[in-house]
């Protein structure tokens, strides 16, 4: 800590750059170097724990500020101002820079909940500040801003209560609202065709050491569109219709042509557009969770959530369908690398470790540059998004459903880069029975079963299926079979590995523990040669797809004997909403 704070030159601690603001201005970002960022994260973690203790002792403390808090967001901030006659918004100018070194140090010295020793308070301020202020870009600036502005919230809520108004703050964005017939003059008064902030409100904010950005002060009355932190609040919290229509148009353009207009400039970033749709989806689809009182019976809440999830899958909303299309496009059509879709996260741990250890034998799967290695393939990550939108949680039943809907989903997309293959990797065991039946049907027409052992099965377009190589008289196999018996017999706390145990059991541990506590930490010493036949199958897929997509006469596909699906006679019908993965 002493080295970071006192030895690293001041000019070398941060990388400074500007980002464009919505109003056309520039916002300065000071990004700390990794070493300082790690230290600031540690400080932020401790301060968040302090804030949690403070809020547990005073339940009212977290009802006013909605930024940088768990279970708080622009939604909860906006909900406090729904269906009001008047909504007043004002903005604090230069919010983080106004919280300077002296204020940070003074808070730790004088706040009744801290009262830290002077050297400690000084050191914490030195860790947190850059050029004498809290920098935008530091992990500890948000939590410090919350601690330092709590006294402002107390001043504002007292004024709001006296004026019979509601008050909330989201970082530098302050909102008052009321249903009174006349808006309180202490907060704002009508002047001509506009409004001016009341003297008492201005006085309390300025005496707290903050400056009001007059250009962003606005009064919104019933009958006009009322917004709070970018969300409409006239009747319910929602996304402005113009924002939603623009996002829908940009998504349609990307999926049709590969580009879209953003602020008048052509863009092709899927990630940037995904952030916009995720925001809209979160607002429109998650309000049901906020409407359920957190203190209600948990079983009842879970039942309501399960019912809502079922309804969303059977009767998907417009934003859900749009968001699904973009996520499907990102994962399976516009790939930056070949994608491997395993049955679960543990298989990914095994294969990543095997590829790194067997790099010399499989150069297509890994690259080395400037002494650093990087995988040339990407492994599908199971997440909340994949579970909710793609219905992919892991396991062969979900993979069967994914394969079943693949063609009907793919046909909707006019823009299909598909520069790389999608490889579905399954265990060759009884769990794959339903997948085998699907692939043997007229939909795919592939000859496959436990006893078949082709390197891969091409299912059409950029989709492939790879089975684990057959082993033993019953032909069954799974990734754990390719480890050395000595690795499989490794004990943890006296327990033995049982790959059939999904959860921890007396005397045994399952795949997750095996992957995280044995394979990952010991990857450098484990013999992964048993995985070479499986990795060779992935190599074969990459070679086959390279031939299929090569320009000119050489692009002729491999013969059907290699597992190719038959050509389709007609365009598949579009998938119904219920058939969406």
């Amino acid at each position: 800590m002493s080295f970071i704070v006192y030895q690293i030159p001041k000019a070398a601690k941060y990388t400074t750059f500007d980002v464009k603001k919505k109003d056309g201005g520039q916002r300065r970002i000071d990004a700390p170097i990794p070493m300082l960022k790690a230290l600031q994260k540690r400080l932020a973690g401790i301060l968040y724990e302090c804030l949690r203790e403070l809020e547990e002792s005073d339940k009212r403390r977290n009802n006013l500020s909605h930024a940088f808090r768990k279970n708080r967001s622009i939604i909860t901030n906006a909900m406090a101002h729904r269906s009001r006659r008047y909504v007043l918004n004002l903005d604090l100018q230069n919010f983080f820079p106004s919280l300077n070194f002296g204020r940070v140090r003074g808070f730790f010295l004088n706040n009744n909940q801290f009262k830290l020793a002077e050297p400690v308070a000084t050191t914490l301020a030195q860790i947190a500040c850059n050029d004498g202020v809290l920098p935008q870009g530091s992990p500890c600036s948000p939590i410090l801003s919350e601690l330092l502005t709590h006294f402002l919230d107390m001043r504002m809520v007292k004024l709001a209560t006296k004026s019979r108004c509601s008050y909330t703050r989201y970082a530098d964005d302050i909102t008052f609202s009321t249903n009174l017939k006349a808006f309180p003059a202490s907060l704002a008064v009508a002047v001509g065709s506009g409004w001016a902030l009341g003297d008492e409100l201005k006085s309390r904010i300025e005496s707290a050491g903050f400056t009001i950005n007059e250009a962003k002060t606005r009064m919104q009355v019933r009958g006009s569109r009322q917004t709070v932190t970018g969300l409409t609040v006239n009747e319910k919290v929602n996304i402005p219709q113009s924002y939603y229509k623009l996002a829908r148009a940009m998504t349609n353009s990307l999926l049709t042509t590969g580009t879209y207009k953003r602020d008048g400039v052509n863009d092709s970033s899927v990630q940037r557009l995904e952030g916009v749709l995720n925001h809209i989806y979160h607002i429109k689809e998650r309000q049901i969770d906020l409407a359920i009182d957190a203190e209600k019976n948990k079983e009842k809440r879970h039942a309501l959530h399960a019912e809502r999830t079922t309804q969303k899958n059977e009767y998907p909303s417009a934003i859900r369908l749009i968001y699904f299309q973009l996520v499907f496009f990102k994962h399976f059509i516009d790939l930056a690398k070949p994608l491997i879709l395993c049955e679960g996260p543990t298989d990914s741990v095994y294969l990543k470790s095997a590829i790194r250890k067997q790099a010399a034998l499989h150069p297509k799967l890994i690259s080395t540059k400037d002494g650093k290695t990087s995988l040339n393939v990407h492994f599908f990550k199971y997440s909340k998004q994949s579970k909710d939108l793609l219905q992919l949680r892991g396991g062969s039943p979900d993979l069967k459903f994914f394969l079943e809907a693949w063609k009907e989903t793919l046909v909707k997309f006019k823009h299909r880069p598909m520069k790389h293959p999608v490889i579905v990797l399954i265990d060759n065991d009884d769990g794959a029975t339903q997948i085998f039946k699907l692939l043997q049907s007229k939909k795919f027409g592939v000859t496959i079963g436990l006893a078949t052992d082709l390197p891969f099965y091409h299912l059409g377009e950029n989709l492939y299926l790879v089975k684990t190589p057959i082993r033993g008289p019953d032909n069954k196999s799974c990734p754990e079979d390719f480890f050395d018996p000595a690795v499989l017999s490794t004990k943890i706390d006296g327990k033995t590995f049982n790959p059939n145990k999904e959860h921890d059991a007396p005397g045994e541990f399952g795949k997750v523990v095996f992957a995280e506590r044995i394979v990952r930490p010991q990857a450098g010493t484990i013999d992964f040669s048993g995985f070479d036949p499986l990795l060779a199958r992935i190599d074969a897929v990459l070679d086959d797809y390279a031939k299929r997509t090569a320009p000119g006469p050489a692009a002729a596909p491999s013969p059907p004997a290699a597992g190719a699906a038959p050509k389709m006679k007609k365009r598949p019908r579009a998938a119904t909403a219920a058939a969406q993965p």
Side-chain angles (χ1 to χ4, degrees):
M1 185 182 70
S2 296
F3 173 77
I4 295 170
V5 176
Y6 302 112
Q7 297 300 315
I8 297 178
K10 179 181 176 181
K13 291 182 179 181
Y14 292 85
T15 299
T16 301
F17 56 93
D18 293 327
V19 295
K20 188 177 179 180
K21 297 166 68 174
K22 289 184 179 180
D23 60 5
Q26 298 289 325
R27 176 178 285 111
R28 169 176 162 172
I29 301 296
D30 294 319
I33 60 175
M35 190 181 296
L36 176 58
K37 185 176 182 179
L39 178 60
Q40 290 173 338
K41 279 186 176 180
R42 293 286 296 276
L43 174 58
I46 293 171
L47 293 177
Y48 270 115
E49 182 62 20
C50 292
L51 181 61
R52 184 191 64 80
E53 292 180 4
L54 292 173
E55 291 175 347
E56 282 185 352
S57 63
D58 182 3
K59 297 297 183 182
R60 299 169 301 173
R61 189 181 181 98
N62 194 28
N63 292 334
L64 305 176
S65 177
H66 294 258
F68 319 123
R69 310 287 189 107
K70 186 177 181 180
N71 299 324
R72 294 279 163 170
S73 65
I74 60 172
I75 304 176
T76 59
N77 183 64
M79 286 182 70
H81 306 284
R82 292 172 296 175
S83 301
R84 300 298 172 90
R85 186 185 298 271
Y86 297 97
V87 177
L88 173 66
N89 297 115
L90 61 102
D91 188 83
L92 302 179
Q93 194 165 12
N94 297 325
F95 181 60
F96 279 150
S98 65
L99 301 172
N100 56 38
F101 180 91
R103 295 179 72 169
V104 175
R105 180 176 176 274
F107 171 82
F108 286 125
L109 283 173
N110 303 317
N111 184 271
N112 290 331
Q113 302 294 344
F114 286 86
K115 295 282 189 182
L116 301 182
E118 186 173 345
V120 178
T122 301
T123 301
L124 294 182
Q126 289 171 322
I127 293 172
C129 294
N130 179 42
D131 289 336
V133 299
L134 286 184
Q136 292 199 54
S138 164
C140 60
S141 291
I143 177 58
L144 279 169
S145 72
E146 288 300 289
L147 291 170
L148 268 63
T149 52
H150 179 64
F151 81 101
L152 174 65
D153 291 334
M154 292 297 99
R155 289 187 179 188
M156 294 294 98
V157 77
K158 287 180 181 179
L159 179 58
T161 301
K162 185 178 73 171
S163 305
R164 297 171 59 190
C165 291
S166 298
Y167 162 82
T168 63
R169 180 179 59 82
Y170 189 90
D172 58 353
D173 196 328
I174 289 176
T175 304
F176 293 90
S177 66
T178 185
N179 273 326
L180 294 174
K181 290 185 178 181
F183 196 77
S186 59
L187 301 179
V189 293
V191 178
S193 60
W195 289 76
L197 294 181
D199 293 337
E200 187 173 0
L201 174 59
K202 292 174 63 176
S203 174
R204 293 198 183 195
I205 292 176
E206 292 170 356
S207 64
F210 295 97
T211 303
I212 299 170
N213 186 346
E214 300 287 354
K216 291 188 176 182
T217 298
R218 67 188 188 279
M219 174 68 78
Q220 303 165 100
V221 298
R222 182 175 292 164
S224 62
R225 192 181 74 173
Q226 297 171 317
T227 61
V228 176
T229 46
L231 304 177
T232 58
V233 294
N234 293 72
E235 295 181 4
K236 64 179 182 178
V237 176
N238 208 344
I239 292 289
Q241 193 67 8
S242 58
Y243 185 80
Y244 170 71
K245 288 183 177 180
L246 177 61
R248 185 177 61 187
M250 289 193 298
T251 304
N252 180 67
S253 178
L254 175 71
L255 302 183
T256 303
T257 66
T259 62
Y260 57 91
K261 289 281 188 181
R262 184 179 64 87
D263 297 330
V265 179
N266 282 333
D267 199 346
S268 60
S269 171
V270 176
Q271 289 74 19
R272 188 174 289 113
L273 189 53
E274 183 184 9
V276 173
L277 292 187
N278 181 64
H279 172 65
I280 298 173
Y281 180 73
H282 178 69
I283 302 299
K284 286 183 172 288
E285 293 284 319
R286 297 306 183 187
Q287 291 189 63
I288 185 65
D289 298 325
L290 295 170
I292 301 172
D293 186 358
E295 299 301 321
K296 284 184 179 179
N297 181 272
K298 285 187 177 181
E299 184 177 341
K300 184 176 181 180
R301 270 194 293 133
H302 291 164
L304 287 170
H305 180 70
E307 180 183 352
R308 173 64 172 165
T309 301
T310 301
Q311 290 175 350
K312 283 193 298 185
N313 293 334
E314 294 180 356
Y315 310 103
S317 64
I319 182 59
R320 182 176 177 83
L321 291 175
I322 294 170
Y323 194 18
F324 159 77
Q325 289 176 345
L326 184 72
V327 172
F328 188 94
F329 178 81
K330 179 186 76 169
H331 284 297
F332 308 119
I333 298 177
D334 189 29
L335 299 89
K337 296 179 179 180
L339 176 70
I340 300 177
L341 184 57
C342 301
E343 286 192 22
T346 56
D347 294 348
S348 301
V349 175
Y350 305 158
L351 289 172
K352 287 178 182 178
S353 301
I355 291 171
R356 291 189 175 97
K357 191 69 181 295
Q358 304 299 106
L361 298 177
H362 306 279
K364 293 185 183 69
L365 306 182
I366 192 168
S367 299
T368 302
K369 184 177 181 180
D370 298 329
K372 295 183 179 180
T373 60
S374 61
L375 298 182
N376 294 335
V377 292
H378 176 67
F379 287 85
F380 184 81
K381 183 178 180 181
Y382 289 97
S383 63
K384 289 181 64 177
Q385 185 191 72
S386 70
K387 178 181 178 180
D388 183 24
L389 288 171
L390 300 175
Q391 299 294 289
L392 284 172
R393 309 166 186 82
S396 56
D398 280 359
L399 292 181
K400 182 254 183 183
F401 186 66
F402 169 75
L403 294 171
E404 191 172 26
W406 169 267
K407 289 182 179 179
E408 293 180 343
T409 304
L410 188 67
V411 75
K412 295 181 184 181
F413 296 89
K414 295 182 180 179
H415 177 62
R416 305 180 197 170
M418 294 194 290
K419 296 179 181 178
H420 303 284
V422 174
I423 305 170
V424 177
L425 177 62
I426 62 172
D427 300 354
N428 193 47
D429 58 16
D430 293 336
T433 301
Q434 294 303 314
I435 292 179
F436 294 158
K437 288 182 178 179
L438 171 65
L439 299 185
Q440 290 165 1
S441 68
K442 291 182 180 180
K443 193 165 191 173
F444 289 96
V446 175
T447 301
I448 188 172
L450 287 174
T452 63
D453 203 33
L454 292 176
F456 60 83
Y457 301 83
H458 181 232
L459 307 182
E461 300 289 351
N462 67 334
L463 183 63
Y464 289 79
L465 183 129
V466 169
K467 301 193 305 171
T468 52
I470 61 176
R471 293 172 65 95
D474 62 357
N475 297 325
K476 296 178 181 179
S477 65
C478 65
E480 288 78 17
D481 293 335
F482 306 116
F483 285 101
D484 188 278
V487 177
L488 297 174
S489 62
T490 304
K491 292 187 176 182
I492 296 178
D493 302 328
K495 298 179 180 181
T496 57
F497 175 46
N498 182 353
N500 296 319
K501 291 289 183 182
E502 293 294 332
H503 304 287
D504 202 12
E508 297 177 335
F509 59 88
K511 294 181 180 181
V512 174
V513 175
F514 177 70
E516 297 299 333
R517 296 191 59 185
I518 295 178
V519 177
R520 195 187 294 275
Q522 300 178 28
T525 58
I526 291 177
D527 179 9
F528 284 100
S529 59
F531 281 82
D532 283 329
L534 179 55
L535 299 182
R537 295 188 168 192
I538 298 174
D539 284 334
V541 170
L542 302 187
D543 288 338
D544 182 76
Y545 195 66
K547 292 177 182 177
R548 291 175 183 273
T549 55
S558 300
K567 290 184 178 180
M568 301 179 64
K569 295 182 180 179
K570 60 181 181 179
R571 180 182 178 90
R573 66 179 178 84
T576 62
Q580 289 286 355

